[in-house]
Amino acid sequence: MELIEHFFFNLSLLIVLLFFSMLWVERAESLRTIQIIATVYIIASLLLCFVFTHRIEGHDVILDLRKIPFIIGGLYIGLGPLLASLTIIVRSFYGIDTGFWLTIFFYGSLAILFWRISPWFLKLSSKKRILFSVSVSFLFSFVQSFPLGFADMNQFDVWFSYLFIQPLGVGVIAYFIEEIYKTIQLRLHVVKLKRLETVEQMGAAICHEIRNPLTAAIGFVQLLQDESISRESRVQYISILRNELKSAEQVIQNYLTFSKPEIELVEPLIVHEELQQIIQSLQVLANRNSVHIITNYSYTGAIEGDSQKFHQCFVNIMKNAIEAMPNGGVLTVETMSTSSNMTILVQDTGAGMTAEQLNRLGEPYYSTKGEKGTGLGIMVVYSIVHAMNGRIHVESELGVGTRFEFTFPSSPTLFEQNEIHKNMSVLVMSG
């Protein structure tokens, strides 16, 4: 029973090593990494089998479970030649004897065989691969154990160890490999479905956003075809038609900005001047919602970026903030600057968001406005800020409001120039 106990202990170590390899695979992010993990496992298992060899006293015979990793690695990964070379090299350290020459013949032949049939083997179904692996293990175990039956050894130990434990080990490891493969395939399938779902949501969002202004535009085009309408009505309809087409154009621009957020035009931006222009353009909307806008600027702040995209980003943020206060409120816009960073704070006293909504903010096509929103605007905000090497931090509380904090790298040259201008202004006033 000594050989049986030895083999069972060795097999348990191989299974424990397989368990840790499976945990490693779960964290892998690419198929290439998974292939590397599988190769490391097979080589480590082969070396582990050599560590726990069992030498028969009075015979040049070394018994171990090296065929288990050899068969698995040769069939599943196509590592037959590599594993055969490693087996022969390690076996040479135990002595150049009859067993060594038999190892060269036996594993060299198997290496060539497995290398040739591995592509065919991988095309089989999962059950057939497991069955084939176990059958191969049983066949070669029988061939290897048959001469040992004539040696001065416990016959039950030999036959049970080779004809049961080794095929069992191959079957167990092959089964786990198949399950890991199914898990990987399922993960890739889920990722593919999520991508398709994102594309579907994107298409639905764009269609929804464009359909509304185009439907209105078509209606006014039909009204303009009526020759009996007055000149004043015609001018009014053309103005509305132009605004609706601009809305459709803005949706397309938002999508293009999200899909290609690179900043193509880099120019110096005096932040408080840019923000003031944005606030002026939204003043009508703020008055309509009874929103009072408070500003507190640091007049020394400057960054580098695209003025048009900067406006697009903060128009979206401030417009959302104003719309979050339909019954009135306060919108606060502040800036703080240092020699390294420019911080912009946009805070409202609106409805606020739940923790779940806050965590999902910025996800593709997720909107806190329900069916009325598409989430495209906030996606554009995140894309632009990241393209300008900025960061976003959001805090929100239901019934209290939401606070956006944007941090951008300062432009050192512009910061120094603004400091000089500020100091000169102070000196002139003092004089």
Side-chain angles (χ1 to χ4, degrees), residues 106 137-148 159 162-163:
F106 186 76
S137 175
F138 183 85
L139 175 62
F140 288 110
S141 294
F142 177 79
V143 172
Q144 188 176 14
S145 62
F146 189 79
L148 297 176
W159 292 106
Y162 274 86
L163 299 184

Side-chain angles (χ1 to χ4, degrees), residues 4 8 55 131-132 143 169 204-205 224 282 291 330 339 342 377 401 416:
I4 295 176
F8 266 127
R55 184 183 289 272
L131 182 60
F132 184 83
V143 172
L224 288 171
L282 295 173
V291 173
V330 177
S339 59
M342 160 60 68
E416 294 171 1

Side-chain angles (χ1 to χ4, degrees), residues 331-391:
L331 174 62
T332 304
V333 181
E334 299 182 52
T335 64
M336 295 177 289
S337 63
T338 65
S339 59
S340 58
N341 291 318
M342 160 60 68
T343 302
I344 303 172
L345 303 176
V346 180
Q347 184 169 350
D348 63 60
T349 57
M353 292 180 285
T354 64
E356 180 183 359
Q357 290 174 325
L358 192 61
N359 289 333
R360 296 193 61 185
L361 199 66
E363 286 186 9
Y365 307 101
Y366 172 76
S367 175
T368 59
K369 300 178 183 178
E371 296 181 355
K372 295 182 180 180
T374 62
L376 201 58
I378 198 68
M379 288 166 59
V380 168
V381 169
Y382 275 83
S383 296
I384 292 175
V385 172
H386 291 159
M388 293 178 62
N389 299 319
R391 302 187 304 273

Side-chain angles (χ1 to χ4, degrees), residues 214-255:
L214 289 185
T215 301
I218 291 172
F220 283 104
V221 168
Q222 293 174 345
L223 291 175
L224 288 171
Q225 291 176 341
D226 186 358
E227 298 180 358
S228 62
I229 62 174
S230 63
R231 178 179 177 82
E232 291 77 9
S233 297
R234 186 179 297 275
V235 172
Q236 181 183 4
Y237 292 164
I238 291 175
S239 176
I240 296 174
L241 177 62
R242 184 186 300 111
N243 291 335
E244 295 295 338
L245 292 177
K246 284 184 177 179
S247 297
E249 181 188 16
Q250 184 62 43
V251 173
I252 298 173
Q253 181 61 42
N254 282 343
Y255 169 69

